Amino acid sequence: MAAPNGQTVFTHILVALFAMGSWIAINGIWVELPVLVKDLPEGWNLPSYLSVLVAFGNLGPLAVTLWGRLSKGELGPIRAVQALGVVGMALLAPLWSHVVPMAGQPHAVAFLALAFALALSCCASNVTFLPFMSHLPPSFLRSFFLGQGLSALLPCGLALAQGVGRLECQPASSPNPRVSTLQSSSGPNVSVSPGISPSGPMVPIYFKEHFSASTFFWVITSLLAISAAAFQGLLLLLPSTNTTVTPRNEGEGQGATPEEEASPLREPGEEIGTPEPESEERAQAALKLCSVRGACLLGLLGATNALTNGVLPSIQSYSCLPYGRQAYHLAVVLGSASSPLACFLAMAVLYRSLPGLGALSLLGTFFGTYVMVLAALSPCPPLVGTSAGVVLVVLSWVLCLGTFSYVKVAVSSLLHGGGRVALLAAGIAIQIGSLLGALAMFPTTSIYQVFHRSQDCVDMCSP
């Protein structure tokens, strides 16, 4: 017997809130960097430090995998990851600005140490949260990725409410009585002061944020606590849920084949939350995972995450800022919003053809290549200073991230048929892809300075 509709909707909400806690901590730190660099001695070297810390955060999945092997349980690692995230962010809120002298130079030791702890938590979530979804029907996996999209969208919305990076361009020789109340920052929302002509040298005047970085981190802490509470709600709900996973029901509701949608690790009519079989069916699932189709799905998942989590974020500012802070603002917010929208689309229409998903990935790569070219040509890419240039760069970011998000949801839904083994492999593929993408871009952006950033209120493209 199917679960009541209200209970099903509530379960979807819990799953989304549970997944929201996966990467919201690191995403929150990234969007708050324009505020942090004003007070921390590392300045704008912080993004490079953070990239390295996230890369070393891959020690987290190794530790969690070893723990899972030794304990033969999955609830303990998930709770440990959530506890590390909540405690780490709760400590970051009051301690982020503390500076300690080391080798005669001041360093934000507390911030860097806690950021590393949060990177461990976020990286480990890919190999703990996703395998847990094998206890739920495939449709709930789309809610899971919707929640992961919210882990990027909510910090962006919070940063907008904070007013990060509001600035005005004013003549360099014109005194402004408000200058004393303004602080250096960077971010969206550039404007020219009323009545001031843009001719002549201009300098940026930066406004103070509406609330502090500590308040921002406390809000993120509360969201992490909500995510942990949602997981506990799932544990209470699943044993008493009567929803069943049968090939016929899933196929009728979504047009799936039994091989793609019904988990071979669960018998027809078995309740959600029932432990997986340990022997013959698990071996069959692992065998299917090692097939050409399984390898292609995992490779596709790793490649898309290498682009969306490693390569593209590192060049977003270079590709957008030449067109203005408003273009950068729209690309960040709408790009983050495209991921939840792609998950909603996957709930209604899920594409299951491997060649078709490959074609969608190529389409996303086309838009990604366009923004990469714009970043390489920064600070003077084509159509700079025109509305057409703004529309093209924003639309390219939205379509690129939205397409890749849809591919990730579709591929993960297909891998769901292999049960926990396949979803664990999916989490590992996601993490390896993200790591390789970040490592590939770190030398070009932080060491060799291949990309060049535009400057606020400065026309760098005039002859």
Side-chain angles (χ1 to χ4, degrees):
M1 181 178 66
N5 185 58
Q7 189 177 14
T8 302
V9 172
F10 183 61
T11 306
H12 278 285
I13 294 174
L14 289 179
V15 169
L17 292 176
F18 165 55
M20 176 190 67
S22 57
W23 278 89
I24 195 170
I26 291 298
N27 289 334
I29 292 176
W30 273 113
V31 300
E32 194 66 1
L33 281 178
V35 179
L36 304 179
V37 296
K38 297 184 300 179
D39 298 316
L40 297 183
E42 287 78 8
W44 277 107
N45 287 324
L46 274 181
S48 299
Y49 282 97
L50 191 57
S51 298
V52 173
L53 293 176
V54 172
F56 280 106
N58 285 277
L59 295 173
L62 294 177
V64 166
T65 302
L66 180 60
W67 183 359
R69 290 287 184 182
L70 296 176
S71 65
K72 302 298 182 181
E74 60 183 354
L75 299 186
I78 292 176
R79 287 174 174 145
V81 167
Q82 291 180 325
L84 181 60
V86 173
V87 173
M89 187 59 71
L91 292 175
L92 187 66
L95 299 177
W96 70 269
S97 59
H98 286 221
V99 175
V100 177
M102 294 184 64
Q105 297 292 330
H107 289 283
V109 176
F111 171 81
L112 295 174
L114 291 171
F116 176 63
L118 293 170
L120 289 173
S121 171
C122 292
C123 291
S125 69
N126 284 333
V127 296
T128 54
F129 290 13
L130 194 56
F132 175 79
M133 295 304 297
S134 63
H135 297 292
L136 290 162
S139 59
F140 288 94
L141 196 62
R142 291 145 216 174
S143 297
F144 179 87
F145 282 98
L146 171 63
Q148 284 204 329
L150 293 177
S151 73
L153 180 60
L154 292 180
C156 288
L158 185 59
L160 291 179
Q162 187 183 17
V164 172
R166 294 178 304 133
L167 61 88
E168 286 183 355
C169 295
Q170 296 192 1
S173 59
S174 174
N176 191 323
R178 291 187 299 169
V179 170
S180 59
T181 64
L182 306 179
Q183 298 183 6
S184 178
S185 175
S186 66
N189 305 328
V190 175
S191 62
V192 178
S193 296
I196 294 180
S197 171
S199 60
M202 307 290 286
V203 294
I205 305 299
Y206 301 93
F207 289 82
K208 186 177 180 179
E209 295 79 29
H210 295 147
F211 51 86
S212 66
S214 294
T215 302
F216 180 93
F217 290 139
W218 280 122
V219 175
I220 298 296
T221 302
S222 66
L223 294 176
L224 285 167
I226 290 173
S227 174
F231 176 65
Q232 296 303 315
L234 281 175
L235 295 181
L236 294 175
L237 183 65
L238 293 185
S240 60
T241 303
N242 294 321
T243 302
T244 58
V245 186
T246 64
R248 180 178 179 180
N249 289 342
E250 287 295 296
E252 288 174 355
Q254 301 173 25
T257 63
E259 180 182 358
E260 291 174 338
E261 286 287 280
S263 172
L265 303 183
R266 189 177 295 111
E267 292 292 337
E270 192 174 347
E271 290 186 354
I272 300 176
T274 304
E276 298 175 1
E278 291 290 339
S279 54
E280 196 172 313
E281 292 178 350
R282 183 181 295 274
Q284 292 176 359
L287 186 61
K288 290 182 180 180
L289 194 61
C290 296
S291 64
V292 174
R293 178 181 174 82
C296 289
L297 290 173
L298 290 175
L300 192 59
L301 192 61
T304 53
N305 279 276
L307 291 172
T308 57
N309 298 341
V311 175
L312 295 177
S314 62
I315 56 95
Q316 188 168 34
S317 60
Y318 298 101
S319 66
C320 297
L321 285 177
Y323 297 96
R325 293 281 173 168
Q326 185 179 15
Y328 178 67
H329 156 72
L330 290 173
V332 170
V333 176
L334 296 181
S336 298
S338 67
S339 179
L341 291 177
C343 295
F344 278 120
L345 178 61
M347 289 180 182
V349 180
L350 186 64
Y351 202 62
R352 299 178 179 85
S353 167
L354 184 57
L357 293 176
L360 283 177
S361 298
L362 290 177
L363 179 63
T365 303
F366 170 77
F367 293 115
T369 301
Y370 177 73
V371 297
M372 285 286 291
V373 171
L374 295 183
L377 297 176
S378 177
C380 298
L383 301 177
V384 66
T386 66
S387 298
V390 173
V391 171
L392 284 176
V393 69
V394 173
L395 192 61
S396 295
W397 273 104
V398 171
L399 293 177
C400 175
L401 297 179
T403 301
F404 282 140
S405 295
Y406 183 88
V407 170
K408 287 189 285 187
V409 175
V411 170
S412 299
S413 296
L414 295 181
L415 289 172
H416 186 282
R420 186 179 186 279
V421 175
L423 290 180
L424 177 60
I428 294 173
I430 290 172
Q431 198 55 45
I432 291 177
S434 302
L435 173 63
L436 293 179
L439 292 179
M441 294 304 297
F442 180 76
T444 59
T445 57
S446 302
I447 299 177
Y448 299 109
Q449 305 292 328
V450 173
F451 301 98
H452 303 284
R453 195 185 301 270
S454 63
Q455 300 180 21
D456 294 325
C457 304
V458 176
D459 185 2
M460 304 179 68
C461 302
S462 296

PDB file of all heavy atoms in Angstrom, residues 120-146:
ATOM      1  N   LEU A 120      36.533  18.931   5.534  1.00  0.00           N
ATOM      2  CA  LEU A 120      36.457  17.495   5.807  1.00  0.00           C
ATOM      3  C   LEU A 120      35.003  17.034   5.868  1.00  0.00           C
ATOM      4  O   LEU A 120      34.634  15.998   5.304  1.00  0.00           O
ATOM      5  CB  LEU A 120      37.161  17.177   7.117  1.00  0.00           C
ATOM      6  CG  LEU A 120      38.686  17.262   7.162  1.00  0.00           C
ATOM      7  CD1 LEU A 120      39.176  17.077   8.592  1.00  0.00           C
ATOM      8  CD2 LEU A 120      39.314  16.220   6.247  1.00  0.00           C
ATOM      9  N   SER A 121      34.171  17.818   6.562  1.00  0.00           N
ATOM     10  CA  SER A 121      32.763  17.462   6.704  1.00  0.00           C
ATOM     11  C   SER A 121      32.047  17.454   5.363  1.00  0.00           C
ATOM     12  O   SER A 121      31.323  16.510   5.036  1.00  0.00           O
ATOM     13  CB  SER A 121      32.081  18.446   7.667  1.00  0.00           C
ATOM     14  OG  SER A 121      30.688  18.272   7.690  1.00  0.00           O
ATOM     15  N   CYS A 122      32.253  18.501   4.567  1.00  0.00           N
ATOM     16  CA  CYS A 122      31.551  18.606   3.282  1.00  0.00           C
ATOM     17  C   CYS A 122      31.994  17.517   2.306  1.00  0.00           C
ATOM     18  O   CYS A 122      31.161  16.906   1.631  1.00  0.00           O
ATOM     19  CB  CYS A 122      31.788  19.992   2.676  1.00  0.00           C
ATOM     20  SG  CYS A 122      31.002  21.340   3.584  1.00  0.00           S
ATOM     21  N   CYS A 123      33.305  17.280   2.236  1.00  0.00           N
ATOM     22  CA  CYS A 123      33.798  16.247   1.323  1.00  0.00           C
ATOM     23  C   CYS A 123      33.296  14.863   1.734  1.00  0.00           C
ATOM     24  O   CYS A 123      32.954  14.033   0.881  1.00  0.00           O
ATOM     25  CB  CYS A 123      35.323  16.262   1.278  1.00  0.00           C
ATOM     26  SG  CYS A 123      36.031  17.733   0.491  1.00  0.00           S
ATOM     27  N   ALA A 124      33.248  14.608   3.040  1.00  0.00           N
ATOM     28  CA  ALA A 124      32.781  13.302   3.513  1.00  0.00           C
ATOM     29  C   ALA A 124      31.289  13.103   3.286  1.00  0.00           C
ATOM     30  O   ALA A 124      30.819  11.965   3.222  1.00  0.00           O
ATOM     31  CB  ALA A 124      33.107  13.142   4.992  1.00  0.00           C
ATOM     32  N   SER A 125      30.544  14.190   3.135  1.00  0.00           N
ATOM     33  CA  SER A 125      29.090  14.050   2.934  1.00  0.00           C
ATOM     34  C   SER A 125      28.757  13.321   1.638  1.00  0.00           C
ATOM     35  O   SER A 125      27.722  12.657   1.543  1.00  0.00           O
ATOM     36  CB  SER A 125      28.425  15.432   2.956  1.00  0.00           C
ATOM     37  OG  SER A 125      28.789  16.201   1.818  1.00  0.00           O
ATOM     38  N   ASN A 126      29.630  13.431   0.627  1.00  0.00           N
ATOM     39  CA  ASN A 126      29.343  12.767  -0.646  1.00  0.00           C
ATOM     40  C   ASN A 126      29.353  11.246  -0.526  1.00  0.00           C
ATOM     41  O   ASN A 126      28.656  10.560  -1.274  1.00  0.00           O
ATOM     42  CB  ASN A 126      30.363  13.199  -1.704  1.00  0.00           C
ATOM     43  CG  ASN A 126      30.085  14.593  -2.228  1.00  0.00           C
ATOM     44  OD1 ASN A 126      28.949  15.053  -2.219  1.00  0.00           O
ATOM     45  ND2 ASN A 126      31.116  15.276  -2.670  1.00  0.00           N
ATOM     46  N   VAL A 127      30.149  10.712   0.401  1.00  0.00           N
ATOM     47  CA  VAL A 127      30.239   9.253   0.528  1.00  0.00           C
ATOM     48  C   VAL A 127      29.446   8.733   1.732  1.00  0.00           C
ATOM     49  O   VAL A 127      29.535   7.553   2.056  1.00  0.00           O
ATOM     50  CB  VAL A 127      31.715   8.788   0.624  1.00  0.00           C
ATOM     51  CG1 VAL A 127      32.456   9.110  -0.658  1.00  0.00           C
ATOM     52  CG2 VAL A 127      32.406   9.425   1.815  1.00  0.00           C
ATOM     53  N   THR A 128      28.715   9.609   2.398  1.00  0.00           N
ATOM     54  CA  THR A 128      27.867   9.178   3.513  1.00  0.00           C
ATOM     55  C   THR A 128      26.398   9.464   3.257  1.00  0.00           C
ATOM     56  O   THR A 128      25.552   8.593   3.433  1.00  0.00           O
ATOM     57  CB  THR A 128      28.304   9.868   4.829  1.00  0.00           C
ATOM     58  OG1 THR A 128      28.314  11.290   4.631  1.00  0.00           O
ATOM     59  CG2 THR A 128      29.677   9.400   5.260  1.00  0.00           C
ATOM     60  N   PHE A 129      26.085  10.683   2.826  1.00  0.00           N
ATOM     61  CA  PHE A 129      24.691  11.058   2.597  1.00  0.00           C
ATOM     62  C   PHE A 129      24.086  10.298   1.425  1.00  0.00           C
ATOM     63  O   PHE A 129      22.975   9.772   1.510  1.00  0.00           O
ATOM     64  CB  PHE A 129      24.573  12.560   2.341  1.00  0.00           C
ATOM     65  CG  PHE A 129      24.844  13.424   3.538  1.00  0.00           C
ATOM     66  CD1 PHE A 129      25.421  12.908   4.693  1.00  0.00           C
ATOM     67  CD2 PHE A 129      24.547  14.771   3.527  1.00  0.00           C
ATOM     68  CE1 PHE A 129      25.681  13.712   5.800  1.00  0.00           C
ATOM     69  CE2 PHE A 129      24.793  15.585   4.621  1.00  0.00           C
ATOM     70  CZ  PHE A 129      25.372  15.044   5.754  1.00  0.00           C
ATOM     71  N   LEU A 130      24.831  10.256   0.301  1.00  0.00           N
ATOM     72  CA  LEU A 130      24.271   9.656  -0.912  1.00  0.00           C
ATOM     73  C   LEU A 130      24.004   8.159  -0.769  1.00  0.00           C
ATOM     74  O   LEU A 130      22.931   7.685  -1.183  1.00  0.00           O
ATOM     75  CB  LEU A 130      25.203   9.944  -2.099  1.00  0.00           C
ATOM     76  CG  LEU A 130      24.625   9.690  -3.499  1.00  0.00           C
ATOM     77  CD1 LEU A 130      23.348  10.478  -3.713  1.00  0.00           C
ATOM     78  CD2 LEU A 130      25.642  10.066  -4.573  1.00  0.00           C
ATOM     79  N   PRO A 131      24.922   7.357  -0.201  1.00  0.00           N
ATOM     80  CA  PRO A 131      24.599   5.933  -0.034  1.00  0.00           C
ATOM     81  C   PRO A 131      23.371   5.689   0.841  1.00  0.00           C
ATOM     82  O   PRO A 131      22.658   4.704   0.658  1.00  0.00           O
ATOM     83  CB  PRO A 131      25.870   5.360   0.616  1.00  0.00           C
ATOM     84  CG  PRO A 131      26.957   6.263   0.175  1.00  0.00           C
ATOM     85  CD  PRO A 131      26.337   7.622   0.122  1.00  0.00           C
ATOM     86  N   PHE A 132      23.101   6.569   1.802  1.00  0.00           N
ATOM     87  CA  PHE A 132      21.917   6.413   2.649  1.00  0.00           C
ATOM     88  C   PHE A 132      20.633   6.446   1.833  1.00  0.00           C
ATOM     89  O   PHE A 132      19.621   5.845   2.211  1.00  0.00           O
ATOM     90  CB  PHE A 132      21.893   7.516   3.709  1.00  0.00           C
ATOM     91  CG  PHE A 132      20.647   7.523   4.551  1.00  0.00           C
ATOM     92  CD1 PHE A 132      20.498   6.613   5.599  1.00  0.00           C
ATOM     93  CD2 PHE A 132      19.620   8.417   4.298  1.00  0.00           C
ATOM     94  CE1 PHE A 132      19.345   6.607   6.375  1.00  0.00           C
ATOM     95  CE2 PHE A 132      18.466   8.421   5.065  1.00  0.00           C
ATOM     96  CZ  PHE A 132      18.327   7.509   6.108  1.00  0.00           C
ATOM     97  N   MET A 133      20.669   7.131   0.682  1.00  0.00           N
ATOM     98  CA  MET A 133      19.468   7.251  -0.149  1.00  0.00           C
ATOM     99  C   MET A 133      19.068   5.928  -0.789  1.00  0.00           C
ATOM    100  O   MET A 133      18.001   5.847  -1.394  1.00  0.00           O
ATOM    101  CB  MET A 133      19.687   8.312  -1.226  1.00  0.00           C
ATOM    102  CG  MET A 133      19.879   9.718  -0.678  1.00  0.00           C
ATOM    103  SD  MET A 133      18.512  10.252   0.361  1.00  0.00           S
ATOM    104  CE  MET A 133      17.180  10.219  -0.830  1.00  0.00           C
ATOM    105  N   SER A 134      19.904   4.893  -0.680  1.00  0.00           N
ATOM    106  CA  SER A 134      19.518   3.583  -1.222  1.00  0.00           C
ATOM    107  C   SER A 134      18.330   2.999  -0.469  1.00  0.00           C
ATOM    108  O   SER A 134      17.677   2.068  -0.959  1.00  0.00           O
ATOM    109  CB  SER A 134      20.706   2.613  -1.152  1.00  0.00           C
ATOM    110  OG  SER A 134      21.086   2.375   0.195  1.00  0.00           O
ATOM    111  N   HIS A 135      18.012   3.519   0.730  1.00  0.00           N
ATOM    112  CA  HIS A 135      16.876   3.047   1.504  1.00  0.00           C
ATOM    113  C   HIS A 135      15.559   3.659   1.037  1.00  0.00           C
ATOM    114  O   HIS A 135      14.508   3.326   1.572  1.00  0.00           O
ATOM    115  CB  HIS A 135      17.072   3.366   2.984  1.00  0.00           C
ATOM    116  CG  HIS A 135      18.256   2.679   3.586  1.00  0.00           C
ATOM    117  ND1 HIS A 135      18.332   1.322   3.774  1.00  0.00           N
ATOM    118  CD2 HIS A 135      19.444   3.181   4.030  1.00  0.00           C
ATOM    119  CE1 HIS A 135      19.488   1.006   4.321  1.00  0.00           C
ATOM    120  NE2 HIS A 135      20.181   2.112   4.478  1.00  0.00           N
ATOM    121  N   LEU A 136      15.624   4.567   0.071  1.00  0.00           N
ATOM    122  CA  LEU A 136      14.441   5.266  -0.411  1.00  0.00           C
ATOM    123  C   LEU A 136      14.234   4.988  -1.893  1.00  0.00           C
ATOM    124  O   LEU A 136      15.179   4.667  -2.610  1.00  0.00           O
ATOM    125  CB  LEU A 136      14.592   6.770  -0.181  1.00  0.00           C
ATOM    126  CG  LEU A 136      14.538   7.236   1.275  1.00  0.00           C
ATOM    127  CD1 LEU A 136      15.141   8.625   1.400  1.00  0.00           C
ATOM    128  CD2 LEU A 136      13.112   7.237   1.783  1.00  0.00           C
ATOM    129  N   PRO A 137      13.009   5.131  -2.389  1.00  0.00           N
ATOM    130  CA  PRO A 137      12.762   4.962  -3.825  1.00  0.00           C
ATOM    131  C   PRO A 137      13.523   5.992  -4.649  1.00  0.00           C
ATOM    132  O   PRO A 137      13.913   7.047  -4.129  1.00  0.00           O
ATOM    133  CB  PRO A 137      11.242   5.184  -3.949  1.00  0.00           C
ATOM    134  CG  PRO A 137      10.699   4.914  -2.589  1.00  0.00           C
ATOM    135  CD  PRO A 137      11.764   5.340  -1.633  1.00  0.00           C
ATOM    136  N   PRO A 138      13.735   5.737  -5.933  1.00  0.00           N
ATOM    137  CA  PRO A 138      14.532   6.639  -6.772  1.00  0.00           C
ATOM    138  C   PRO A 138      13.986   8.063  -6.835  1.00  0.00           C
ATOM    139  O   PRO A 138      14.756   9.000  -7.005  1.00  0.00           O
ATOM    140  CB  PRO A 138      14.483   5.978  -8.156  1.00  0.00           C
ATOM    141  CG  PRO A 138      14.216   4.541  -7.881  1.00  0.00           C
ATOM    142  CD  PRO A 138      13.355   4.497  -6.665  1.00  0.00           C
ATOM    143  N   SER A 139      12.670   8.240  -6.724  1.00  0.00           N
ATOM    144  CA  SER A 139      12.106   9.589  -6.825  1.00  0.00           C
ATOM    145  C   SER A 139      12.644  10.507  -5.734  1.00  0.00           C
ATOM    146  O   SER A 139      12.791  11.716  -5.941  1.00  0.00           O
ATOM    147  CB  SER A 139      10.580   9.532  -6.756  1.00  0.00           C
ATOM    148  OG  SER A 139      10.160   8.931  -5.539  1.00  0.00           O
ATOM    149  N   PHE A 140      12.974   9.965  -4.579  1.00  0.00           N
ATOM    150  CA  PHE A 140      13.489  10.795  -3.494  1.00  0.00           C
ATOM    151  C   PHE A 140      14.915  11.256  -3.755  1.00  0.00           C
ATOM    152  O   PHE A 140      15.377  12.217  -3.141  1.00  0.00           O
ATOM    153  CB  PHE A 140      13.430  10.026  -2.166  1.00  0.00           C
ATOM    154  CG  PHE A 140      12.034   9.859  -1.637  1.00  0.00           C
ATOM    155  CD1 PHE A 140      11.309   8.709  -1.929  1.00  0.00           C
ATOM    156  CD2 PHE A 140      11.437  10.838  -0.875  1.00  0.00           C
ATOM    157  CE1 PHE A 140      10.021   8.539  -1.461  1.00  0.00           C
ATOM    158  CE2 PHE A 140      10.145  10.688  -0.396  1.00  0.00           C
ATOM    159  CZ  PHE A 140       9.429   9.540  -0.690  1.00  0.00           C
ATOM    160  N   LEU A 141      15.609  10.584  -4.669  1.00  0.00           N
ATOM    161  CA  LEU A 141      16.962  11.000  -5.001  1.00  0.00           C
ATOM    162  C   LEU A 141      16.954  12.375  -5.665  1.00  0.00           C
ATOM    163  O   LEU A 141      17.889  13.163  -5.505  1.00  0.00           O
ATOM    164  CB  LEU A 141      17.622   9.967  -5.918  1.00  0.00           C
ATOM    165  CG  LEU A 141      19.136  10.033  -6.056  1.00  0.00           C
ATOM    166  CD1 LEU A 141      19.805   9.804  -4.714  1.00  0.00           C
ATOM    167  CD2 LEU A 141      19.625   9.018  -7.069  1.00  0.00           C
ATOM    168  N   ARG A 142      15.879  12.687  -6.380  1.00  0.00           N
ATOM    169  CA  ARG A 142      15.789  14.011  -7.006  1.00  0.00           C
ATOM    170  C   ARG A 142      15.583  15.091  -5.966  1.00  0.00           C
ATOM    171  O   ARG A 142      16.099  16.199  -6.086  1.00  0.00           O
ATOM    172  CB  ARG A 142      14.652  13.998  -8.024  1.00  0.00           C
ATOM    173  CG  ARG A 142      14.981  13.115  -9.229  1.00  0.00           C
ATOM    174  CD  ARG A 142      13.777  12.400  -9.793  1.00  0.00           C
ATOM    175  NE  ARG A 142      14.151  11.062 -10.263  1.00  0.00           N
ATOM    176  CZ  ARG A 142      13.292  10.163 -10.696  1.00  0.00           C
ATOM    177  NH1 ARG A 142      12.005  10.446 -10.738  1.00  0.00           N
ATOM    178  NH2 ARG A 142      13.717   8.981 -11.086  1.00  0.00           N
ATOM    179  N   SER A 143      14.847  14.767  -4.912  1.00  0.00           N
ATOM    180  CA  SER A 143      14.733  15.718  -3.801  1.00  0.00           C
ATOM    181  C   SER A 143      16.073  15.914  -3.106  1.00  0.00           C
ATOM    182  O   SER A 143      16.383  17.009  -2.626  1.00  0.00           O
ATOM    183  CB  SER A 143      13.691  15.219  -2.792  1.00  0.00           C
ATOM    184  OG  SER A 143      12.422  15.140  -3.376  1.00  0.00           O
ATOM    185  N   PHE A 144      16.875  14.861  -3.067  1.00  0.00           N
ATOM    186  CA  PHE A 144      18.208  14.963  -2.472  1.00  0.00           C
ATOM    187  C   PHE A 144      19.053  15.975  -3.231  1.00  0.00           C
ATOM    188  O   PHE A 144      19.693  16.849  -2.626  1.00  0.00           O
ATOM    189  CB  PHE A 144      18.876  13.588  -2.483  1.00  0.00           C
ATOM    190  CG  PHE A 144      20.274  13.579  -1.921  1.00  0.00           C
ATOM    191  CD1 PHE A 144      20.485  13.414  -0.564  1.00  0.00           C
ATOM    192  CD2 PHE A 144      21.372  13.723  -2.752  1.00  0.00           C
ATOM    193  CE1 PHE A 144      21.776  13.410  -0.038  1.00  0.00           C
ATOM    194  CE2 PHE A 144      22.659  13.721  -2.238  1.00  0.00           C
ATOM    195  CZ  PHE A 144      22.864  13.561  -0.872  1.00  0.00           C
ATOM    196  N   PHE A 145      19.060  15.899  -4.551  1.00  0.00           N
ATOM    197  CA  PHE A 145      19.854  16.844  -5.325  1.00  0.00           C
ATOM    198  C   PHE A 145      19.235  18.237  -5.322  1.00  0.00           C
ATOM    199  O   PHE A 145      19.949  19.238  -5.475  1.00  0.00           O
ATOM    200  CB  PHE A 145      20.038  16.328  -6.755  1.00  0.00           C
ATOM    201  CG  PHE A 145      21.082  15.255  -6.863  1.00  0.00           C
ATOM    202  CD1 PHE A 145      20.730  13.919  -6.897  1.00  0.00           C
ATOM    203  CD2 PHE A 145      22.423  15.585  -6.893  1.00  0.00           C
ATOM    204  CE1 PHE A 145      21.686  12.925  -6.975  1.00  0.00           C
ATOM    205  CE2 PHE A 145      23.399  14.596  -6.974  1.00  0.00           C
ATOM    206  CZ  PHE A 145      23.027  13.267  -7.016  1.00  0.00           C
ATOM    207  N   LEU A 146      17.926  18.311  -5.150  1.00  0.00           N
ATOM    208  CA  LEU A 146      17.303  19.613  -4.940  1.00  0.00           C
ATOM    209  C   LEU A 146      17.860  20.258  -3.677  1.00  0.00           C
ATOM    210  O   LEU A 146      18.194  21.454  -3.660  1.00  0.00           O
ATOM    211  CB  LEU A 146      15.784  19.451  -4.818  1.00  0.00           C
ATOM    212  CG  LEU A 146      14.997  20.681  -4.375  1.00  0.00           C
ATOM    213  CD1 LEU A 146      15.129  21.799  -5.398  1.00  0.00           C
ATOM    214  CD2 LEU A 146      13.527  20.332  -4.157  1.00  0.00           C
TER     215      LEU A 146
END
